[in-house]
Amino acid sequence: MYLLRSLVFALYMLLFFLPFTGFVAISFWMSLAQRYAFVTRWNRATTMWMFEHVLGIPYRVIGRENLPSEPAVILAKHQSAWETLAFADIFPPAAYVAKRELLRIPFFGWGMARMPIVTIDRSGGKDALRQVVEQGRALMAQGYSVVVFPEGTRTAIGTQRRYKIGGATLAVAAGCSVIPVAHNAGEFWRRNAFIKRPGEIVVSIGPPIAAAGRTAEAVNAEAEAWIEGEMHRLFPHHYQSQALARAGLARS
């Protein structure tokens, strides 16, 4: 059954989602705000419906009262492709930070380039950080929050990578709040896995973290502590299994 569900979803992505992103790429007559509203409504009515009713992956949000009323930097775990689409359904108007090479992907990348987005050259070092701040502040001035995955790449649930400082640097430069987010999408939608497994994704939105007048290092550390603490609180079984696996490797 899991395989059949995943096949149907893959056909949807091939026959409907990718052509739609191609249409977005040529929607020159729309303003950025109009295009964003159109795409997010379509995403809610189709892709989110497929997530819940075909893949059997609904979601539940904890901490909706912490949703920002003004542009903020959203720092979140990155475990799968789920959050790159679902966050548009959860958060207020938001742009993503993404690596520039994604824009070269036929259809998907072309459509992404027409949306509010912060693109960076990950090999650029300090230039990449400058790109995040400059592009991010410009989008925030237009009313968009900015979603940053501080670990930089998808990580399996129960694991952690180093939190990069770009998102916190943007928040300090913009004088806005950071909204920390934990979730367990990787439990059902694993990285590069064709077969998705049904289950409820829990998204926990933390209290705003003030960034104005602070160092990026302090803001980043506070966001990391909340996110990782919330991951351990909500999904302790994943960390226990990882610890057991590491212990087994150490004994062998």
Side-chain angles (χ1 to χ4, degrees), residues 17 26 32 44 47 51 60 74 81 96 101 110 123 125 142 160 165 185-186 189 192 194 226:
F17 183 83
I26 61 172
L32 183 61
R44 183 178 300 115
T47 307
F51 287 163
R60 173 169 57 92
I74 297 163
Y96 291 87
E101 52 264 38
W110 304 339
S123 64
Q142 298 178 61
Q160 178 185 354
I165 206 166
W189 189 317
N192 298 326
F194 178 80
W226 189 92

Side-chain angles (χ1 to χ4, degrees), residues 53-206:
H53 298 285
V54 174
L55 292 178
I57 306 178
Y59 72 86
R60 173 169 57 92
V61 175
I62 300 172
R64 281 194 183 273
E65 67 276 10
N66 296 320
L67 285 170
S69 58
E70 56 187 22
V73 174
I74 297 163
L75 294 185
K77 295 290 286 187
H78 190 20
Q79 298 173 359
S80 72
W82 180 86
E83 57 268 20
T84 62
L85 295 169
F87 276 12
D89 193 49
I90 298 172
F91 293 99
Y96 291 87
V97 173
K99 53 188 179 181
R100 187 170 297 162
E101 52 264 38
L102 289 177
L103 304 186
R104 296 195 290 267
I105 299 175
F107 299 105
F108 177 77
W110 304 339
M112 182 186 293
R114 302 293 298 169
M115 296 294 288
I117 188 170
V118 175
T119 57
I120 60 170
D121 178 1
R122 293 202 300 183
S123 64
K126 290 185 177 179
D127 282 342
L129 187 59
R130 177 180 54 80
Q131 291 161 7
V132 170
V133 172
E134 290 181 356
Q135 296 177 48
R137 290 184 72 175
L139 284 167
M140 293 179 82
Q142 298 178 61
Y144 295 96
S145 291
V146 178
V147 177
V148 182
F149 300 119
E151 292 167 287
T153 189
R154 289 172 291 177
T155 58
I157 189 168
T159 65
Q160 178 185 354
R161 293 177 181 262
R162 180 178 68 88
Y163 276 50
K164 299 178 182 178
I165 206 166
T169 301
L170 169 59
V172 170
C176 69
S177 297
V178 165
I179 308 297
V181 179
H183 64 86
N184 64 328
E187 183 173 348
F188 312 108
W189 189 317
R190 296 183 180 179
R191 180 179 180 178
N192 298 326
F194 178 80
I195 295 179
K196 285 74 174 173
R197 298 183 179 277
E200 182 184 63
I201 292 174
V202 178
V203 179
S204 181
I205 304 172

Side-chain angles (χ1 to χ4, degrees), residues 231-250:
M231 291 294 296
H232 279 80
R233 184 182 77 86
L234 291 175
F235 318 114
H237 51 292
H238 290 290
Y239 293 89
Q240 292 164 1
S241 62
Q242 290 289 338
L244 291 171
R246 287 194 295 270
L249 288 173

